[in-house]
Amino acid sequence: MTDFHEYNFDGLIGPTHNYAGLSFGNIASASNKGAVSNPKEAALQGLAKMRAAMALGLKQGFLPPQDRPALKTLRALGFAGTDKQIIEKAAAASPDLLANCYAASSMWTANAATIAPSPDTSDGKVHFTPANLAANFHRSIEADTTARTLRHIFNDDRFFVHHAPLPGGVHFGDEGAANHGRLCETHGEKGVHLFVYGEDGDRFPARQKLRASQAVARNHQLDPDKTIFIEQSKAALDAGAFHNDVVGVANGNVLFLHEQSFADRDAAYAEIREKAPFVEIVEAPADKVSLSDCIKSYLFNSQLLTLPDAGAAGGEMALLLPTESESAERVKTFVDETAARNNPINRVVYKNVRESMRNGGGPACLRLRVVLSDEEAAAADQHFILNDERIGPLEAWVEDHYRDRLHPDDLRDPKLMEESLAAMDALTKILKLGAFYDFQKI
Ligand code: SUG
């Protein structure tokens, strides 16, 4: 029988990681605006999280950072001249625009795309739709390179179908897998897809549109009997859950979430139970953990991972949480109780991804899940699937090329551009990518 595994493709954190406060509705991003970041520490924290997942016996891949500053975008916006002049002119005319073109936000690969594994699609292929990320300018410029990256890694039309990012900008705002979950008895069986969309709240706008989720489901040839569209609650959105993966996570037969996640909880649970009768809903009651506790601790932005020795439904799962959840007392108590209770969540691992957390990105934001059969995995570019030999050179590359201190004002200095592009150039050599990035082509 063909074996299927979940691969987590983490975003390798890029050399320009900084705190520019670019994401309205993302409270961590707004409150850390102007703080000094540590890109080297950020990238090493991300790699350490990948190592932790590998140590649990899980399959781990990564997506490379995008080239920043986005010179191609700056040129398209009318800044002309040499690369150095472009930075100087943009810094003088619009530091905000420059910051947008410097964001390392492609690290949050949960937003890179939505994926449908082959057991779920009517043509039996794996479908990819890169997210258009239309809600924020700095994120919207990721889509082209994301599409190129996914086509490069999964480059075999016997197995993989690549759709274009959805057209229509904010009218079809799509934030990828951060608002999508898959329930299944085992990874290789036909799964049930949960698409969570939003309507604007009183305080914050919703990024994911219902019609975008519907278009992705159509493109991916999903069975309507195994597809559910659920509206996120405005309470969650206004508390700072700009993506649904801040208040819930699905894995295998488990849906782990806050009771105030959905606009109509009872109707949502009824449809989930009807379409996925095997589901076990593990819920945090608001009187034990508030929405505000969730946003501060990122309890539900944990990775819920089926451990490899667990075979059928109800297999053992580990919860990989950020250390912020360990230090929040009520949250830690709830996690301990959840692990002690009779459900598949039996192991708890805390990892420090603080540099990313301070921009609103926890462990689950940092990874894109791709369920692949062994044959499909063998057809992917192996440079992007980690093992002990491949991860060391990435750590060494970070040590060689990254700064340990970056303030948003430093983005004005063309020297940062030179360092960052030199780093990306070196990475393309490690990954045998050739001239992959825009700056290498123009
Ligand atoms: O889109 N932060 C990201 C965080 C994404 C988290 N992803 C998931 N929940 N899946 C965002 O808001 C902040 C960048 C800055 O402010 O410099 C940022 O883009």
Side-chain angles (χ1 to χ4, degrees):
M1 197 187 114
T2 322
D3 233 2
F4 283 79
H5 294 100
E6 176 180 281
Y7 287 72
N8 280 277
F9 283 81
D10 279 37
L12 178 56
I13 297 174
T16 67
H17 156 68
N18 74 97
Y19 299 119
L22 301 176
S23 282
F24 182 57
N26 170 343
I27 292 168
S29 153
S31 52
N32 289 306
K33 179 175 181 164
V36 173
S37 64
N38 183 337
K40 183 177 283 185
E41 189 62 31
L44 294 175
Q45 286 171 352
L47 284 157
K49 176 171 91 68
M50 298 184 224
R51 275 198 185 272
M54 288 158 70
L56 291 171
L58 299 160
K59 309 277 188 193
Q60 184 67 51
F62 73 98
L63 301 185
Q66 301 203 356
D67 50 329
R68 295 291 179 269
L71 289 168
K72 188 181 176 189
T73 305
L74 288 166
R75 276 199 198 98
L77 296 175
F79 298 106
T82 63
D83 295 349
K84 185 165 178 275
Q85 285 166 337
I86 289 173
I87 299 301
E88 285 165 353
K89 286 179 190 172
S94 176
D96 278 356
L97 205 47
L98 186 64
N100 275 270
C101 292
Y102 250 119
S105 49
S106 64
M107 72 175 80
W108 299 295
T109 51
N111 305 118
T114 310
I115 319 284
S118 56
D120 305 349
T121 60
S122 59
D123 63 0
K125 296 187 182 187
V126 186
H127 286 244
F128 299 81
T129 299
N132 63 26
L133 293 168
N136 290 284
F137 178 60
H138 70 290
R139 303 226 57 187
S140 68
I141 61 176
E142 294 171 29
D144 277 357
T145 307
T146 300
R148 193 185 313 154
T149 304
L150 292 173
R151 280 176 194 275
H152 175 90
I153 299 176
F154 302 100
N155 178 20
D156 188 330
D157 54 20
R158 285 177 303 160
F159 302 113
F160 308 121
V161 180
H162 294 275
H163 302 275
L166 295 179
V170 288
H171 303 288
F172 281 82
D174 176 22
E175 300 275 319
N179 296 301
H180 170 262
R182 178 177 184 257
L183 292 165
C184 53
E185 293 189 78
T186 62
H187 289 314
E189 281 168 89
K190 193 164 175 175
V192 172
H193 289 248
L194 309 183
F195 288 90
V196 183
Y197 63 93
E199 297 289 342
D200 287 351
D202 296 328
R203 193 174 169 214
F204 296 134
R207 299 193 194 182
Q208 181 76 34
K209 299 290 184 284
L210 170 59
R211 53 186 174 178
S213 301
Q214 290 167 331
V216 171
R218 273 192 298 274
N219 274 338
H220 290 186
Q221 304 180 6
L222 299 177
D223 178 349
D225 290 339
K226 302 228 177 269
T227 307
I228 306 176
F229 300 96
I230 305 172
E231 187 187 337
Q232 187 186 20
S233 77
K234 287 193 176 145
L237 186 67
D238 280 339
F242 54 96
H243 290 135
N244 185 69
D245 67 1
V246 176
V247 285
V249 55
N251 174 60
N253 62 332
V254 174
L255 178 61
F256 179 53
L257 82 177
H258 192 267
E259 72 166 329
Q260 289 168 293
S261 296
F262 300 143
D264 184 343
R265 168 181 176 271
D266 293 347
Y269 287 8
E271 191 176 353
I272 292 168
R273 289 203 164 98
E274 190 203 321
K275 292 186 170 168
F278 52 82
V279 71
E280 185 156 344
I281 298 179
V282 180
E283 189 188 65
D287 61 5
K288 285 204 171 165
V289 179
S290 67
L291 281 172
S292 158
D293 290 332
C294 296
I295 308 300
K296 285 191 204 119
S297 68
Y298 265 39
L299 157 64
F300 292 105
N301 201 256
S302 46
Q303 287 179 255
L304 185 55
L305 300 157
T306 303
L307 294 170
D309 49 345
E316 194 176 340
M317 295 185 195
L319 199 57
L320 192 160
L321 299 128
T323 41
E324 284 76 358
S325 290
E326 190 174 23
S327 44
E329 206 184 310
R330 272 193 306 278
V331 170
K332 166 90 165 52
T333 305
F334 172 72
V335 171
D336 290 344
E337 284 170 11
T338 303
R341 256 187 267 131
N342 185 20
N343 63 43
I345 306 172
N346 291 328
R347 283 183 70 174
V348 175
V349 179
Y350 292 99
K351 287 306 292 176
N352 176 5
V353 287
R354 185 154 187 271
E355 284 287 322
S356 165
M357 282 286 287
R358 297 183 79 208
N359 252 338
C365 301
L366 285 163
R367 62 95 172 92
L368 179 65
R369 293 186 282 186
V370 188
V371 170
L372 297 169
S373 69
D374 290 343
E375 214 186 354
E376 290 159 355
D381 184 334
Q382 301 301 305
H383 291 99
F384 298 87
I385 295 180
L386 288 174
N387 56 25
D388 288 342
E389 276 120 67
R390 292 196 195 107
I391 195 164
L394 297 178
E395 288 159 339
W397 170 77
V398 170
E399 292 284 2
D400 281 356
H401 289 275
Y402 281 46
R403 294 188 183 188
D404 59 11
R405 195 192 140 83
L406 191 60
H407 184 273
D409 285 346
D410 299 334
L411 308 183
R412 296 161 166 266
D413 180 359
K415 205 169 168 308
L416 177 68
M417 170 195 68
E418 284 161 21
E419 282 172 32
S420 172
L421 299 186
M424 301 312 293
D425 213 34
L427 185 65
T428 54
K429 296 201 172 76
I430 297 173
L431 300 174
K432 310 261 184 286
L433 269 170
F436 180 80
Y437 291 108
D438 290 322
F439 79 93
Q440 296 172 308
K441 295 178 183 169
I442 45 183

